[in-house]
Every structure is written in C-alpha cells, then in structure tokens.
Amino acid sequence: MKLKSFSRRNFLRAGAVAGVGVVGLAALAGCGEEEAPATQATAAPAATKAAEPAATAMAEKPKPAQIELEWWHQALIQMDDALKLIVKDYMGLNPHVTLTLNQFPFADFAAKLLTSLAGGVAPDVNYVHPQFVVQMAANGVIEPLDEYMKADAGFARDDFHSGSLEAMSYKGKAYTVPMFHGPWLYIYYKPLLENAGLELPWDLHQKGEWTIDAYQNMIETLSTGEGDERVWGGTEVPAALKLQYLWIWGFGGKVWDNRGAFDDPNEFVANSPEGVAGMQWAVDHVQQDLVPSRSYSKTFQGGNQGLFVSGRIGIYQSHRSFTTRIPADTPAGVAPMFKMPNGDDQSRDAPEGIGMHSATPDKDAAWDLVSYVGMEGVNHVIAAGVTAPTRKSQMSGEVFRNSIVAWDNIEVHIAASKQLKEQFFQPVAYGEINKIFQANYDEAVLGRKTVQEFLDDVKVEADRLLHE
C-alpha cells in the first residue's frame, strides 16, 4: 500500500448510486470451489479528466491529493470480471484514487494475511472468509468496523440480511462487510420427481409440508437402477463441519457449548445423542447408496453437476452460485431448506466479505472503499450470479431479477434468506478441528468407526485445540 495525504471522506458518497452502471454478465462456468491462478491486476485506468470549469473560483478549488489503495482478494474465476468492474467503477467515481487489485488462491490467503503485518507488505482492504475472521481479528490483522458503520450515513447496516454481519464478528465487534450471501437450496430435476408421482419441494414448502421426512421419502423413491443406469435421489452433505452443523442443530444438538455466542467456545459437544443422530442421517445416505460416491462423481464428466444435468441426480444441495451454472433450459426447480426433526428450518450462510487491514495508514480511505464495495460494488457480483443479494432491499431489485435463469425462482431465494436465523461460529482453531472432523467422518462412512466413536474422537482433539 502507498497512501498519500487524504482530506477525509466527504468526496465519495455524492452520486455513488447514480454513477454505478450494472454491466450484464454471462453466468461464468466452473465449480464454485475452483480457483483462478494468483494474479496481480494492473490498476484500471482512471476516468478521463473532466474539462476545467470556466469559473475562476471553481478552477482555483484545490484538487484532492492522489491516493493509492491496494485490495487483496480471493482468486475465483467466477468473480474475476465482477471485481475488475468494481475497480473500474470506483476509480471512475474517484479519479484521484488508484486502486490495485491483487488476487491469491484461497488456500494461501489466511497465511498471507497473518504474515502481512510482520512482513511489512500489506493491503489496505482485504477479502475475509468466516473460516478465518476470528483468527485475523484475534491477531490484530483486521480492524473492527462498527464505529465506521455508525458514522457513515450512506451505510445501511440494518439492510443487510439477518446475521450476515454477525457471522463475521468476534467478541461483539463486526470485522467485515458481506460480499457473498448464499442460503442453502435444493435444486431438483422435475421430470424425475413427476415421473415418480412425487410432489415438487417448492409446492410442499408453500403448504408447510417441506420436511426432512418428505425429503427422505423423495431420495429413497428416486434412487433406482444399477451401474451406469443408476439414478441417485440426492447428493452427499459436504463433510465440512461448517455444513454438517445444520444436521447436528436440526436434530436438537449443539457443536460448541456456547451455541449462538460469537465468542470462543470451551468445548466440542456434538457427540451428544442428538449430534450422533444428525451425523448418522448423513452417513446413512452414503452407505445406503442414496447419493453418488465421491469416487464415482470424479469419473463422470462434470461431476455431480454433470450427473444432475443428465437427469441422474434427483435433488442437488447447494446455494446461489450453483443455480447459475445449470443451463437455462434444464427442467429444474428450486426450494429452500426443509424443516428438521426439531421443527426448525434454520438454514446456513457463508457471508464472505471485505474488511479493513489494520496496517492501512489511512483508515478513512480504506473504509470508503469497503463501504462502496458492500453497498454498490456488490451489484456486479450479483449480476455475475456468484451471490444472492447481500442486502434485503436488493432482493426485489432489477440487478438480481436480471441474473435469475429461466428455471429459477426469485421467491425461493427470498424465502431462503428468511431462514437465516442463527450463524455458525468458527473459532480460531476451526481449520484444524475441521480436518479432524472430516477424517473421522470418512472413517464412519467407510464403516471403520461408529458415528458415536467418530464424534467422541473429534471431541478429544477439538477440546485440546480449543484450549491451546
């Protein structure tokens, strides 16, 4: 980062909404976890200098000092064009700002940020994921943003979806403005359900009958055939704890001893009878061949996505970025999260965002960029189909409506957003705990451990890590 003198932030907000053009973006192909090579983007050219005003008083008005800002973000193919458009728009609104975007693979991002303070090379603003927000905050790498949010009249904190800011919080302080919103969705292949005489999930949801029992009946009914003619009812719940927690909660259990508190937990408690029941449900789906095995999916062109488009998976679990990768002419439908055994339809989100690096020499300039990206720039990410709207007012907006493919249903996304009542907390040791969780989950799937043994073994290691 190379920041020069800066005369506060009053030059930015005027005309910001009117100045941001939404460019139509085609849905970009590729898996949601696919990463682009690490790149260093050349700063977009600043807007052409306007003609000098004729009035002498205007001509003599001091020009803002030139500023250089650096933004580090995850390298993700689906977002590349959107991020470049954000940079271009921001610099067009602020000709005195040179904004450089540098992108790095997700696998390297946390380590790079953690060493940025000691290394003397740091950005002004940076991408933040829920998986490492606590680690970044606890180590003083990123700044709390609450005071900036309060002081900024143009920042509509209450317009963000419930829990999205809290999910990126630690010890009562918010550290990130969301750039991604993706409640859990169930995308279904209509002909398979209709031919089996099954009622569509969205229709069931509207009647209050979309439950885990209805889903279970569907995937059992749809799982038919053998070999290359095999059709699977659904897809495996991803093994990561940040997804599996929904079933632990839904069966009445907890993961941490302080569920709902965005503070450090003391204990892993998912090995309760309720937690075991939730994990047994997920393991049974793999063992009973109701979902494609990971090894089979890898051999099929396009993996699970290819199997779904080919009509060989009945119901696909995912979120917004997956819906835009399914061809518009696919005979598909979509529904929100079903009700769990405890009667709750609590969904999940992963509101990745952008934060302010603590080493930036001008926090006002950095906040202006963070606020702009969260309030206006994110429209480009929505248009690209990478995220559902991060703010409630955007749900009915033209940008989102124009990004919805033919088979999709905006009402489902609205319903799914209302299901986000509580966020999952990822402590400092989450990354290591999750590796242990995944390894033990696989042992249970292979029948080498019971689900109780799997969760008991995770508890031993997780409790140790929580207290290190």
Side-chain angles (χ1 to χ4, degrees), residues 52-256:
E52 292 292 338
T56 302
M58 291 295 291
E60 293 176 353
K61 185 177 180 179
K63 297 178 181 179
Q66 289 297 309
I67 302 169
E68 295 183 13
L69 291 176
E70 186 171 350
W71 175 8
W72 287 5
H73 203 88
Q74 175 192 14
L76 190 65
I77 288 175
Q78 298 98 303
M79 286 190 70
D80 279 357
D81 288 348
L83 294 178
K84 290 172 184 175
L85 287 168
I86 293 173
V87 171
K88 180 181 178 182
D89 284 354
Y90 186 78
M91 291 176 60
L93 288 168
N94 305 284
H96 59 290
V97 177
T98 298
L99 174 57
T100 300
L101 172 68
N102 289 312
Q103 295 174 265
F104 307 97
F106 179 82
D108 303 333
F109 210 93
K112 192 168 186 65
L113 273 181
L114 280 171
T115 59
S116 60
L117 285 174
V121 178
D124 298 284
V125 299
N126 53 266
Y127 164 82
V128 185
H129 188 279
Q131 187 168 322
F132 54 77
V133 64
V134 174
Q135 190 177 31
M136 298 300 109
N139 285 277
V141 177
I142 52 179
E143 286 285 309
L145 302 177
D146 302 84
E147 294 305 316
Y148 294 92
M149 293 176 182
K150 292 177 184 176
D152 187 346
F155 185 79
R157 180 169 185 156
D158 292 341
D159 193 26
F160 286 87
H161 289 292
S162 176
S164 61
L165 290 170
E166 287 75 10
M168 307 293 276
S169 298
Y170 182 53
K171 294 186 180 295
K173 297 180 179 179
Y175 286 87
T176 300
V177 173
M179 281 184 68
F180 176 83
H181 174 66
W184 212 230
L185 300 173
Y186 288 86
I187 301 99
Y188 48 89
Y189 199 84
K190 282 184 177 181
L192 288 178
L193 276 71
E194 291 168 344
N195 292 340
L198 295 168
E199 194 166 356
L200 300 180
W202 176 237
D203 294 339
L204 288 172
H205 172 84
Q206 292 176 295
K207 296 192 299 183
E209 299 174 5
W210 179 224
T211 65
I212 191 170
D213 290 338
Y215 175 78
Q216 184 71 25
N217 176 59
M218 285 183 185
I219 64 171
E220 290 179 358
T221 302
L222 294 173
S223 296
T224 58
E226 301 292 337
D228 289 340
E229 301 300 318
R230 177 69 174 172
V231 172
W232 290 272
T235 51
E236 181 183 4
V237 178
L241 181 56
K242 64 185 179 183
L243 286 150
Q244 294 275 7
Y245 80 89
L246 270 186
W247 279 263
I248 295 172
W249 286 10
F251 277 75
K254 299 193 298 184
V255 176
W256 318 118

Side-chain angles (χ1 to χ4, degrees), residues 9-54:
R9 61 185 303 279
N10 54 10
F11 60 91
L12 282 172
R13 288 280 84 87
V17 175
V20 179
V22 178
V23 179
L25 298 175
L28 301 177
C31 173
E33 289 73 36
E34 185 176 359
E35 294 177 353
T39 58
Q40 179 166 333
T42 303
T48 305
K49 183 179 178 182
E52 292 292 338

